[in-house]
Amino acid sequence: MIRRFLRCGHSPGALTPEDQAAVDQFRAMLTAVHDPQPWTPGHGQDVAVRVGPFIERAHTRPGDDHGTETIAVALVHPDTGHAAGYLHGRQLGYTDRGWLRCETTAILGAWQPAYTMLTHAAANLPLPDDVGMAPAHYGVHVEAHHHDGPGYTLLRLGPYTQTWLASRDADRLNTELEGKAATVIPGFTLTATSVPFDVSDHENYSDPYENDVVALLAATI
């Protein structure tokens, strides 16, 4: 006896609306992978980033999204913007990463919802310990400002692993600079401020963990 199993109420080969939606979603994903939307540096777009065999959604950090080789990103749950997405993202480790240095060669293109089924979240898997991107933390800039002209960055320090360390060194440098601006660089006011680490300009930073920041300041001046 040969028994043929057919969907009740449908002709052979017909798809239910639910099945058709799944097929359409899969086709949209294939199209997105084979024909990604271009990503434009400096436009604050979310990007699709390769993490092993998966594709993840990533926010770009304003001011650090214009590099041609490396930018700063934060991996986020594909449903970010919805309460359930934040909750699920916390459970899977998306919120524990902070800002990361992302090579532009790992960027597939601008983020599209069709990539969602290719994420760790869709597979209900936590992000791996090693996502292939090093942290992109914080920095300190020492800047000289003229009262009627442009400002100049004299010294860049970073990356700092924690924002409080950057703030501590900025306070130390401002203590050193207090009352000296008029004699060091006449007409300019010197200040040290903590800022996001500029990943695309990392070669111009001095490592604060391997140097005395006060000595670096003195040498720079």
Side-chain angles (χ1 to χ4, degrees):
M1 179 183 295
I2 299 176
R3 301 190 180 202
R4 302 186 184 277
F5 294 90
L6 303 175
R7 291 186 180 274
C8 181
H10 297 275
S11 60
L15 295 176
T16 66
E18 294 79 9
D19 288 343
Q20 186 62 56
V23 170
D24 292 343
Q25 183 182 19
F26 185 75
R27 287 174 175 169
M29 179 272 293
L30 292 178
T31 300
V33 171
H34 291 291
D35 188 22
Q37 294 179 2
W39 164 70
T40 304
H43 282 60
Q45 296 171 289
D46 280 4
V47 293
V49 178
R50 295 183 181 89
V51 178
F54 295 84
I55 293 176
E56 294 294 339
R57 179 182 179 182
H59 285 331
T60 54
R61 183 162 68 188
D64 271 353
D65 63 344
H66 59 275
T68 57
E69 296 181 0
T70 307
I71 66 171
V73 303
L75 298 179
V76 296
H77 190 278
D79 294 331
T80 290
H82 302 282
Y86 283 113
L87 176 61
H88 196 213
R90 188 177 301 110
Q91 294 171 341
L92 298 180
Y94 282 85
T95 60
D96 301 331
R97 305 288 165 163
W99 293 107
L100 303 169
R101 294 182 59 184
C102 175
E103 295 182 2
T104 54
T105 54
I107 298 174
L108 183 63
W111 172 260
Q112 301 180 55
Y115 293 130
T116 296
M117 65 170 55
L118 299 177
T119 64
H120 285 80
N124 204 32
L125 295 173
L127 288 175
D129 293 334
D130 182 6
V131 295
M133 291 178 273
H137 295 300
Y138 311 92
V140 171
H141 287 184
V142 177
E143 299 178 333
H145 297 278
H146 196 273
H147 69 279
D148 61 355
Y152 303 93
T153 302
L154 303 180
L155 178 64
R156 294 175 174 85
L157 300 168
Y160 290 86
T161 56
Q162 297 183 47
T163 184
W164 73 268
L165 294 174
S167 297
R168 181 200 63 184
D169 276 2
D171 290 341
R172 287 181 60 198
L173 295 175
N174 280 321
T175 299
E176 290 291 320
L177 291 169
E178 187 175 0
K180 296 182 179 181
T183 57
V184 174
I185 307 179
F188 284 82
T189 300
L190 274 64
T191 56
T193 57
S194 56
V195 296
F197 180 66
D198 187 350
V199 178
S200 60
D201 195 31
H202 64 91
E203 294 180 352
N204 290 322
Y205 279 77
S206 298
D207 189 336
Y209 296 104
E210 296 181 356
N211 298 280
D212 183 334
V213 296
V214 175
L216 283 174
L217 176 64
T220 300
I221 294 176

